[in-house]
């Protein structure tokens, strides 16, 4: 039996995690849930999974939730969950959105919890520090991201020195077939129409700008310890091939499956087992055609920005993430245009961060400083 602590339970990954684990009441027990603003759904999840701890976003939400569970709130509430001890093997599923995911991941590692990570910002912001903590506290960190789950599966039983390249597939997002000129006046509603995946708003915008793929390159670098020059991307609009690994002898392994996040979720939670999951649909290959094309860095400059920031290391990925996060929120609020997101990210990765001392507090401080600065500049406050 594993004890699950699910952060971001009402979001896309959170609800899909709860959906898929309800097939395995004998394997998993939900010990804690953190809820967002959808308290009606939160109440339903509490009734269904009966957790010991519930975290709500705001203090005012406490009175709106009916439960016997210990109730906590806000960022401190997330840390309370990360620190909470239970009897069985503890797994924290981090499905929070954005930089808010970093501190709870760190606290959970220090509390001896294994991590199932959907919050890619954690590794983008602090991959090196998180990896060191994972080693120091002897916990595991399993990816919940279809591409990284694919690479992880392809690498099973392989030696690192045999790897030539990791090849991350990209669906192309909502604007795959548009030119840059056609992006000038796209709306929030246009950007939120992802062709293949059902996801939250922030990651859907990140897919449309291709920042998501850039983050995934950085994530892959830290998860698999592969240099950036050996991490490639490719456009694959069907989202059936979830990623590939190319070996020195030119042999290539791919992991394929239906585009359903519940598959990488259940794999991350059951690793190394592939358990029988009756509620998932079999992949039907008959009649399917798969396409692969180069992913243009001129069309999607955010990819270059991610490689640039990743290669510079230190605080550059922090700046990349912070500028992107603030800009995406401003776009979702109708304050800036779609292409302004790129412009703002470009501006912030071109500042000098070399004098800062690399540690968690400085990372969090820089993240919040950049985000506040961008909100202020574009009229948020
Ligand atoms: Mn992904």
């Amino acid at each position: 039996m594993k004890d699950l602590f699910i952060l971001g339970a009402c979001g896309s990954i959170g609800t899909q995690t709860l959906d898929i684990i309800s097939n395995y009441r004998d394997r998993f027990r939900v010990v804690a849930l953190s809820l967002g603003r959808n308290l009606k759904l939160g109440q339903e999840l509490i009734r269904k999974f009966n957790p010991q701890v519930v975290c709500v976003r705001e203090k005012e939400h406490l009175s709106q939730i009916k439960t016997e569970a210990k109730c906590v709130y806000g960022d401190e509430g997330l840390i309370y969950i990360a620190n909470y001890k239970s009897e069985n093997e503890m797994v924290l599923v981090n499905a929070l959105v954005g930089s808010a995911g970093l501190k709870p991941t760190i606290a959970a590692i220090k509390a001896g919890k294994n991590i199932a990570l959907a919050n890619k910002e954690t590794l983008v912001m602090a991959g090196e520090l998180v990896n060191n903590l994972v080693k120091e506290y002897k916990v595991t960190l399993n990816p919940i991201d279809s591409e990284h789950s694919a690479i992880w599966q392809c690498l099973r039983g392989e030696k690192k020195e045999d790897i030539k390249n990791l090849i991350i597939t990209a669906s192309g997002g909502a604007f795959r077939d548009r030119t840059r000129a056609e992006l000038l006046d796209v709306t929030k509603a246009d950007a939120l129409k992802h062709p293949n995946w059902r996801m939250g708003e922030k990651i859907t915008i990140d897919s449309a700008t291709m920042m998501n793929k850039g983050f995934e390159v950085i994530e892959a670098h830290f998860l698999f310890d592969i240099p950036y020059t050996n991490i490639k991307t490719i456009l694959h609009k069907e989202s059936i091939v979830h990623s590939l690994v190319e070996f020195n002898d030119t042999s290539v392994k791919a992991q394929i499956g239906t585009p359903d996040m519940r598959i990488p979720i259940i794999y991350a939670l059951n690793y190394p087992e592939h358990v029988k999951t009756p509620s998932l649909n079999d992949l039907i290959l008959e009649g399917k055609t798969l396409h692969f094309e180069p992913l243009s860095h001129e069309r999607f400059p955010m990819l270059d920005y991610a490689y640039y920031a990743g290669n510079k290391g230190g605080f550059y990925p922090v700046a990349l993430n912070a500028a992107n996060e603030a800009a995406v929120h401003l776009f979702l609020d109708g304050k800036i245009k779609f292409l302004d997101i790129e412009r703002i990210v470009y501006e912030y990765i071109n500042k000098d961060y070399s004098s800062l001392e690399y540690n968690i507090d400085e990372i969090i401080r820089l993240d919040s400083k950049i985000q506040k600065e961008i909100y202020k500049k574009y009229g948020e406050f």
Side-chain angles (χ1 to χ4, degrees):
M1 180 69 96
K2 288 180 185 173
D3 287 349
L4 299 186
F5 299 71
I6 303 178
L7 305 186
C10 296
S12 173
I13 296 291
T15 50
Q16 293 184 78
T17 301
L18 290 164
D19 171 67
I20 199 73
I21 62 154
S22 51
N23 292 292
Y24 306 103
R25 293 294 185 130
D26 54 329
R27 278 177 181 256
F28 303 109
R29 178 175 74 144
V30 175
V31 172
L33 292 174
S34 94
L35 314 175
R37 289 190 172 76
N38 188 347
L39 293 176
K40 195 167 160 259
L41 173 61
Q43 187 66 61
E44 215 174 283
L45 298 177
I46 290 168
R47 198 171 347 98
K48 201 165 162 201
F49 293 95
N50 194 27
Q52 297 172 18
V53 188
V54 171
C55 177
V56 290
R57 198 63 234 137
E58 313 285 346
K59 195 175 181 184
E60 307 81 272
H61 297 162
L62 289 170
S63 58
Q64 299 171 42
I65 287 285
K66 279 193 212 76
T67 175
E68 315 259 278
K70 160 96 183 163
C71 289
V72 291
Y73 69 92
D75 292 343
E76 281 161 39
L78 296 175
I79 301 298
Y80 182 88
I81 288 182
N83 287 328
Y84 190 84
K85 297 265 173 147
S86 64
E87 302 81 44
N88 304 306
E89 180 192 336
M90 300 181 287
V91 182
L92 180 106
V93 178
N94 188 339
L96 294 168
V97 178
S99 60
L102 178 59
K103 274 190 184 170
T105 305
I106 288 172
I109 294 171
K110 290 182 173 171
K113 292 187 177 64
N114 292 323
I115 309 292
L117 189 67
N119 175 263
K120 57 192 78 180
E121 292 88 347
T122 291
L123 286 178
V124 172
M125 293 172 75
E128 200 183 319
L129 292 170
V130 169
N131 277 343
N132 291 341
L133 289 171
V134 163
K135 268 192 214 112
E136 185 182 340
Y137 289 88
K138 300 186 172 59
V139 298
T140 56
L141 189 153
N142 296 349
I144 298 183
D145 199 343
S146 59
E147 295 79 1
H148 304 82
S149 183
I151 293 168
W152 190 31
Q153 293 178 55
C154 291
L155 288 178
R156 274 179 80 167
E158 303 291 356
K159 288 201 192 89
K160 210 173 104 185
E161 55 267 33
D162 291 341
I163 303 167
K164 191 169 164 192
N165 290 308
L166 307 182
I167 305 168
I168 301 177
T169 53
S171 67
F175 302 140
R176 177 181 65 212
D177 302 319
R178 298 196 195 204
T179 62
R180 285 187 68 75
E182 286 167 340
L183 294 178
L184 281 173
D185 291 305
V186 291
T187 64
K188 170 182 166 180
D190 298 330
L192 289 177
K193 280 181 210 140
H194 194 282
N196 303 349
W197 296 96
R198 159 172 86 88
M199 305 182 292
E201 287 196 344
K202 199 244 171 194
I203 188 170
T204 305
I205 302 300
D206 286 345
S207 296
T209 62
M210 212 49 76
M211 186 78 277
N212 184 54
K213 212 46 58 183
F215 285 164
E216 290 181 352
V217 167
I218 298 174
E219 207 185 352
H221 168 78
F222 288 116
L223 282 170
F224 306 112
D225 189 26
I226 298 292
Y228 286 104
T229 46
N230 301 111
I231 304 175
K232 317 280 182 196
T233 56
I234 192 167
L235 189 63
H236 166 54
K237 62 182 176 191
E238 288 86 7
S239 298
I240 298 287
V241 177
H242 297 310
S243 278
L244 315 91
V245 177
E246 188 184 4
F247 296 93
N248 290 331
D249 58 3
T250 74
S251 170
V252 177
K253 271 169 132 177
Q255 187 270 336
I256 76 174
T258 49
D260 185 332
M261 281 310 294
R262 292 175 302 171
I263 305 171
I265 292 168
I266 206 66
Y267 186 70
L269 296 177
N270 284 312
Y271 176 85
E273 287 176 73
H274 285 280
V275 297
K276 198 168 181 178
T277 310
S279 61
L280 294 172
N281 296 321
D282 290 334
L283 172 66
I284 310 289
L285 280 171
E286 289 87 342
K288 288 215 169 55
T289 310
L290 305 179
H291 293 84
F292 300 93
E293 288 167 57
L295 194 53
S296 162
H297 289 220
E298 285 76 51
R299 169 64 183 75
F300 296 111
M302 290 284 232
L303 265 180
D304 274 345
Y305 303 168
Y307 276 98
Y308 172 82
N311 272 309
K312 288 204 84 148
F315 286 91
Y316 288 85
V318 179
L320 176 87
N321 178 72
N324 179 68
E325 189 164 320
V328 169
H329 285 128
L330 289 170
F331 173 72
L332 288 169
D333 287 345
K335 300 258 161 58
I336 61 171
K337 290 192 163 195
F338 184 74
L339 289 176
D340 292 333
I341 304 172
E342 287 174 6
R343 199 171 46 73
I344 292 170
V345 169
Y346 183 79
E347 178 189 334
Y348 277 87
I349 57 168
N350 280 294
K351 290 179 192 269
D352 182 17
Y353 305 104
S354 55
S355 63
L356 301 174
E357 197 197 326
Y358 192 69
N359 60 51
I360 288 290
D361 291 339
E362 280 295 292
I363 288 173
I364 288 164
R365 200 190 55 77
L366 180 69
D367 172 70
S368 127
K369 178 176 170 266
I370 290 176
Q371 294 212 40
K372 278 189 188 133
E373 208 173 280
I374 292 170
Y375 286 134
K376 203 171 163 193
K377 204 159 153 187
Y378 293 92
E380 178 71 10
F381 296 130

